Amino acid sequence: MPAPLRLGLAGLGTVGIGVVKIVQRHADLIAARAGRPVTITAVSARDRAKTRDADLSGYAWETDPVALARRDDVDVFVEVMGGHDGPAKAATEAALAAGKDVVTANKALLAHHGQALAEAAEATGRAIRFEAAVAGGIPVIKALTEGLAANQMRRVMGVMNGTCNYILTRMQNAGLPYETVFEEARQLGYLEADPNLDVGGIDAGHKLSLLAAIAFGTKVSFDKVELEGIGNVSIEDIRMADDMGYHIKLLGVAQMTGRGLEQRMTPCLVPAESPLGQLQGGTNMVVLEGDSVGQIVLRGPGAGEGPTASAVMADVIDLARGFRLPTFGRPAATLVDPVAAKSATPAPYYIRMTLLDKPGALAKVATCIGEAGISIDQMRQINQPGEQDDKATVLIVTHKAAPADIGWALSRIPETGVLVGAPVAIRIEEV
């Protein structure tokens, strides 16, 4: 039997313990499939005294993950600590400098430093694998870099944050307001320590930027992703969308256009009967569109101990087999700086606003929309429970319109003097 592949595991939270359990439980299966044993030789975490649901007694302990990354008895550095700077970045750089391969679940690290780390890895003939960083247990990285490698990718799209999908589907199914479900998600432990990473779309934006780099051969450009979280989605929006046959999702879309690379992570309405519309709870879904294959839909658990650890170990087994690819599917030196393009692809829009209930109010709004060159498909007044007699909620659905035209119309409507509060505009995505 060939010599074992020795892992140094940095991070013993949910994912790290999941990796330990898989290595211990499936040692024979992994050895048979990888062609050699895979073992853990050393681990690192901030609190050695913490009680953990795994036997760690057989592993050496390093307080400093950088020291772990440099150990002579570590072949692959497995980083599941998190954080885009600090110990995670320092330890990853140390591992590459010491000639180690790296497997990471850290989407933030790669979204901010992916190009530099990819160049460092390839300069020393090492590999960085990160299947677990995007969509948990769904093998979307392998799908893009291997299964669809012969395709010119047209679009990458998906629901990539399970917490946001849980909140939105819980609001819809239970009829609860955002604030109530947000607190429920916090109590259940679904939210990051900084909740804005989830509900602000940042976590999902990190993942989208990594998929876009692979799909379109560009350097990772997270700073160019259009981000809008779910905090402004009300229970009224959920109900009205449902009434029209749509569901609201935090949807990521990346596509290369003649103007450049569009990347957006924003709430969208999708048809209720579509695969994305039917997605419930914390499940993720990624849709890949290639010129030869057409549309591929991948669905599965987007987080959690087992699914994410499964993805980590898939990368480890590839390395044990001797299989290596450039970090983003092609040599880092060939990745190009993307020309960032604001989303300009026309689409229908859902617009909700509260107006003063007086003669001519709707006409003034319709005039602003018409002057922007936008055609109205539906417009109706909704009597909301508890709404004051002098105010009225108005719902407008447009025909396809350019985002810039929608923005221009929304900037003009307040000048009419009939608007109460800020309007809500949500793109209706064709999927």
Side-chain angles (χ1 to χ4, degrees), residues 171 233-241 350 352 384-385 393:
M171 289 172 67
V233 177
S234 71
I235 188 62
E236 288 80 14
D237 296 319
I238 296 281
R239 289 169 178 155
M240 293 177 186
Y350 159 99
R352 176 179 58 82
Q384 296 277 40
T393 297

Side-chain angles (χ1 to χ4, degrees), residues 47-58:
D47 184 0
R48 185 170 184 172
K50 180 179 178 180
T51 300
R52 295 178 171 89
D53 184 26
D55 180 10
L56 305 175
S57 60

Side-chain angles (χ1 to χ4, degrees), residues 10 58 173 192 207 213 271 287 296 333 376 390 402 430:
N173 295 336
E192 297 275 2
K207 299 170 186 176
V287 180
I296 298 292
I376 295 175
D390 62 341
E430 297 179 346

Side-chain angles (χ1 to χ4, degrees), residues 212-237:
I214 298 171
F216 304 113
T218 61
K219 296 178 182 178
V220 182
S221 53
F222 168 67
D223 58 331
K224 302 300 191 301
V225 178
E226 299 175 44
L227 288 179
E228 180 187 346
I230 64 172
N232 290 327
V233 177
S234 71
I235 188 62
E236 288 80 14
D237 296 319

Side-chain angles (χ1 to χ4, degrees), residues 110 114-115 130 144-145 156 206-222 254 256 261 263 327-330 335-336 338:
L110 294 175
Q115 182 65 26
F130 59 98
L144 276 173
T145 56
V156 174
H206 287 152
K207 299 170 186 176
L208 181 68
S209 69
L210 299 179
L211 294 182
I214 298 171
F216 304 113
T218 61
K219 296 178 182 178
V220 182
S221 53
F222 168 67
M256 186 66 73
L261 178 62
Q263 301 177 93
T327 304
F328 295 104
R330 62 182 80 184
L335 300 175
V336 300

